[in-house]
């Protein structure tokens, strides 16, 4: 069984550039996650153009992280993304 990627215990809103950097780090550390990481990068770029709804953020998190993060971290990730898109440029 493959070990799960390590995720931060607490998530804080970060600029989109840092999300894209994290996506590249995910690819470096877990090549089998490259497809999901590229989805994160594409979404981060698109979020500069419009602000996704809560349901879209939940769908994004579920599509990219389902089974990799516990429910409490999933909720933190969604809330962090919501805060991020509220204050994105």
């Amino acid at each position: 069984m493959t070990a799960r990627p390590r995720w931060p215990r607490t998530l804080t809103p970060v600029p989109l550039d840092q999300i894209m950097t994290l996506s590249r780090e995910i690819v470096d550390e877990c090549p089998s996650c490259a497809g999901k990481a590229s989805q994160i990068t594409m979404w981060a770029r698109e979020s500069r153009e419009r602000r996704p709804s809560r349901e879209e953020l939940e769908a994004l998190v579920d599509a990219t992280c389902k089974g990799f993060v516990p429910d409490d971290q999933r909720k933190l990730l969604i809330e962090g993304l919501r805060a991020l898109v509220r204050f994105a440029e």
Side-chain angles (χ1 to χ4, degrees), residues 42-61:
M42 280 192 320
W43 178 84
R45 288 182 183 140
E46 289 173 3
S47 70
R48 289 181 196 246
E49 297 172 14
R50 69 172 190 86
R51 296 176 190 232
S53 68
R54 179 184 187 89
E55 291 78 20
E56 288 173 311
L57 293 174
E58 289 174 354
L60 170 73
V61 169

Side-chain angles (χ1 to χ4, degrees), residues 13-64:
V14 295
L16 292 174
D17 292 336
Q18 289 182 343
I19 290 174
M20 290 189 278
T21 298
L22 177 61
S23 176
R24 287 189 295 275
E25 290 173 8
I26 290 170
V27 172
D28 291 343
E29 293 180 19
C30 178
S32 66
C33 301
K36 292 180 181 183
S38 68
Q39 288 177 336
I40 293 169
T41 301
M42 280 192 320
W43 178 84
R45 288 182 183 140
E46 289 173 3
S47 70
R48 289 181 196 246
E49 297 172 14
R50 69 172 190 86
R51 296 176 190 232
S53 68
R54 179 184 187 89
E55 291 78 20
E56 288 173 311
L57 293 174
E58 289 174 354
L60 170 73
V61 169
D62 290 343
T64 57

Side-chain angles (χ1 to χ4, degrees), residues 70-87:
D71 286 342
D72 59 332
Q73 287 187 348
R74 176 188 175 272
K75 290 176 186 175
L76 287 171
L77 179 57
I78 292 167
E79 290 306 313
L81 289 171
R82 288 187 70 215
L84 174 69
V85 298
R86 272 196 307 270
F87 299 109

